Structures are given as C-alpha cells and as structure tokens.
Amino acid sequence: MVNVGILGATGMVGQRFIELLDQHPIFNITALTASQRSAGKRYEDATTWYLDNKMPESVRDIVVVDTDPSQVDDLDIVFSALPSDTAAKVEPEFARSHIVASNASAMRMEDDVPLVIPEVNPEYLDLIEVQQKNRGWDGFIVTNPNCSTIALTLTLKPLYDRFDIKRVYVSTMQAVSGAGYNGVPSMAIVDNLVPFIGEEEEKIETETLHLLGDLEDGVVTPASFGVSASCHRVAVVDGHTEAVFIEMEDPADVEEIESTMADFTGLPQKLDLYSAPKNPVVVRSEENRPQPRMDRNESGGMSVVVGRVRQDVAFNNSFRYVLVGHNTIRGAAGASILNAELINEIL
C-alpha cells in the first residue's frame, strides 16, 4: 500500500478525496491536514460533512494535523485540496520531500510543473525531472487543470488529433459546488444565474491550449488555435454543463465527430488504472441529454458525457455539442487521484 495524506481535508474537495480514496486498492489514507483551528481534533469532530454518502469509518478517528510537512510522517503522496493562495506557500514546502498531486491552481502554469490530464498529455510528466533539477527538490508537484478545462479538453483531444482545430467557443453553466460550500450565497443563486466566475474564463482559454500543446526539450509550446470562453454559475449542485462550438481545419460529418469522441482512450485505459473510466467520453444520442442530474455520475463521475452533436451551418467544418462533467470528481479530486495512479505506475 502507498501511504497518502490529504491537505485541506475538511473542505468540499478534501471530502471528495476521502470519499474516492476510501477502499482504494493502492492508496491508504494515513494523514489529514487542515487549518490550525481544526488541528488536534478527530476528523469527525473537525468536519461538517457535505457529501451525500456518509463519512467513511476509516477516517473518523484520524486526528487532523496542521498543514505543515513537519506534522506528517511516512507519506509517499500528498493530495492537495488547498485554496490557491495557501497552496502557493505550502505545496512547495511539501514538494521538497513528497510527491504532491495538486488540485489547486497556484502552480499550474509554472514552466517546470506538469499540468496533466492522463488521457491527454501524460508525456508532460517528463517535466518532473526538470522541476527537481531546477528547484533542488527530492519530491515534486504535478497539477490537474481547472474543472471546466478538464471536461472540455477530454472532448477536444480526439478531435484535435484527427481533424485539427481552428477555433473553439465555449459557454459554461457551472455548478455551485465548484465555489465550495460557502462560495455562493443561496440568495445569490436561487432563481438566478450569475454570469461571472472570477478567473474562470482565463483558465479555460490558457490551460486548454497548454494541455494540447507540444513538449520539447523541457518546454511546452501551447496549441495555436483560438479558444474563447464565457462562464456562468447556475443553481445546480454538482456537474458542469458546457455548450461547445468548434470549427475544424479538416472536413468531417456528425457521425465521425461522435465516433471519434466515443472511441477515444488513452494511457490510463491501456494501463487499466483503478480510477480510469473505460470510456473517458460517453456520447449519447437522445435529443435532451446530457443533463447534470442524470449524467454527472457516469463511470463514477470520471467520464464526460456528450450529446446534441450537430453541424453548425454558420461556418465551414463547424459543429456544436453539449457536455456534462462532474466538477468535484473528474474535475477535481478524481483528476488528482488518476494523476497519482499514473505516477505510481510509470515512475
């Protein structure tokens, strides 16, 4: 077994980590960290549990410690669910001696930090050696992208590889859990839609091109097509919905678009990693799917569900589709866990 810890374990993403790691065949939770006000308490006493499933028995009696490398022993991997400002200070401290699989945005766009979706760009893990050399660390940091970016990029990767992409427009309808339990006041979202999510559009536009870029001699050159995003918060608990408009360089038809996404697999599927879905992208034919309540938990929340694939007659070689991805599973905790499974398998 591989001993793991969770940084920021009492928050919503920290709880997802616990839920997904409970009974994991490889990873064994031995340490939970949180703020000083929670340190010294049993996890059950320190945490208000937000998820539908009950708190696992395996973590109830673990004593929470302060988020400091000196407070944890004998850990192979730490999963970070920290807020970005805290992560920027704390994650490098842990990376001096630990493997850090981070969901935080703080280190994502650092030149020597791999930003990885295992089905999309596993070769970026080659940056680990560059990072360790640059920073003098025995450990390292690997990050996963923004939740909306992950869902979008999983659908773009097979299309980009086969047809090449000229430009992408995406309009997101994002669940409130993406902002954390206290992130959006109920009076702000009930009977409402909020047409702004701080830094979200910039993350999608930047991270997507980075993920689909090329790594050569330790340097990532981003993909060169255009990405334009508009992001909105809606009154859905879990599951981000995205309306995607894509113009490609090469001709295709709807059937080719659907089959290319549906047949897509990557290295995690080849290696049969525990958290890897059989199909990273599931394509549905019903005219009213996908829907977050009905489709967010596909493959345990690790698949992105696509529907309403149709030709866009406004432009040549253009198509439209709708996707749903579970933002706190595939878009957050599950993404970090899959990264860690890949690292554990190949490094």
Side-chain angles (χ1 to χ4, degrees):
M1 294 293 286
V2 176
N3 290 335
V4 304
I6 301 170
L7 313 182
T10 58
M12 183 166 288
V13 173
Q15 292 178 26
R16 281 292 186 198
F17 273 117
I18 287 171
E19 180 183 60
L20 296 174
L21 290 168
D22 186 48
Q23 307 301 317
H24 194 284
I26 301 170
F27 299 144
N28 176 46
I29 301 173
T30 59
L32 302 173
T33 85
S35 63
Q36 290 183 345
R37 66 177 177 271
S38 299
K41 300 178 182 178
R42 295 169 58 249
Y43 184 74
E44 183 176 23
D45 298 330
T47 306
T48 300
W49 190 255
Y50 302 124
L51 305 185
D52 293 339
N53 295 329
K54 292 182 179 180
M55 180 187 296
E57 292 290 337
S58 60
V59 300
R60 291 178 182 271
D61 292 328
I62 294 178
V63 176
V64 176
V65 297
D66 192 18
T67 306
D68 186 298
S70 66
Q71 299 299 305
V72 296
D73 296 313
D74 194 28
L75 288 181
D76 302 296
I77 299 173
V78 292
F79 294 103
S80 175
L82 296 170
S84 183
D85 55 347
T86 304
K89 301 174 183 177
V90 172
E91 288 180 357
E93 296 176 2
F94 275 89
R96 294 180 186 279
S97 55
H98 297 85
I99 297 171
V100 179
S102 174
N103 179 67
S105 63
M107 304 290 290
R108 282 178 190 159
M109 300 308 295
E110 295 285 323
D111 290 342
D112 58 358
V113 174
L115 178 69
V116 175
I117 302 173
E119 292 94 341
V120 173
N121 61 332
E123 69 276 9
Y124 283 25
L125 292 177
D126 290 347
L127 286 170
I128 290 170
E129 185 176 346
V130 177
Q131 181 188 143
Q132 291 177 315
K133 182 178 179 180
N134 286 349
R135 300 173 186 255
W137 293 344
D138 293 326
F140 55 84
I141 299 172
V142 172
T143 63
N144 57 263
N146 168 268
C147 47
S148 297
T149 301
I150 291 175
L152 174 64
T153 306
L154 279 168
T155 68
L156 294 181
K157 171 63 173 176
L159 302 178
Y160 184 54
D161 285 349
R162 181 172 177 183
F163 302 108
D164 209 355
I165 294 174
K166 190 172 182 179
R167 60 178 60 91
V168 173
Y169 302 93
V170 59
S171 181
T172 72
M173 293 143 278
Q174 297 184 213
V176 292
S177 59
Y181 188 81
N182 295 317
V184 183
S186 59
M187 286 291 287
I189 197 65
V190 173
D191 189 32
N192 202 20
L193 179 153
V194 180
F196 173 74
I197 305 172
E199 300 182 354
E200 195 79 2
E201 293 163 358
E202 294 83 356
K203 290 175 184 177
I204 292 175
E205 293 167 355
T206 302
E207 292 176 10
T208 301
L209 297 177
H210 184 88
L211 290 157
L212 293 174
D214 295 311
L215 174 66
E216 186 174 354
D217 297 328
V219 177
V220 175
T221 302
S224 58
F225 62 87
V227 178
S228 180
S230 181
C231 297
H232 320 89
R233 189 75 70 190
V234 296
V236 172
V237 175
D238 289 314
H240 289 352
T241 303
E242 305 180 30
V244 182
F245 304 78
I246 180 171
E247 183 179 358
M248 296 181 298
E249 296 284 359
D250 302 320
D253 57 36
V254 168
E255 291 74 19
E256 288 176 308
I257 298 295
E258 290 180 330
S259 63
T260 298
M261 288 193 283
D263 294 341
F264 171 58
T265 57
L267 185 57
Q269 287 71 38
K270 181 180 179 179
L271 296 174
D272 195 26
L273 299 181
Y274 176 74
S275 297
K278 179 180 179 181
N279 298 106
V281 182
V282 174
V283 178
R284 301 199 64 108
S285 60
E286 301 93 328
E287 65 181 9
N288 65 342
R289 301 286 283 276
Q291 299 178 26
R293 192 172 65 189
M294 302 173 81
D295 294 302
R296 61 194 172 204
N297 290 315
E298 180 71 40
S299 305
M302 289 297 286
S303 290
V304 177
V305 181
V306 167
R308 299 206 66 215
V309 181
R310 59 221 191 269
Q311 195 149 20
D312 187 344
V313 297
F315 302 97
N316 291 330
N317 302 329
S318 296
F319 297 86
R320 296 175 285 180
Y321 59 89
V322 178
L323 67 84
V324 165
H326 199 303
N327 54 295
T328 64
I329 299 180
R330 184 71 214 220
S336 289
I337 292 170
L338 190 59
N339 278 349
E341 290 172 359
L342 181 59
I343 291 166
N344 185 67
E345 182 73 21
I346 68 175
L347 296 187

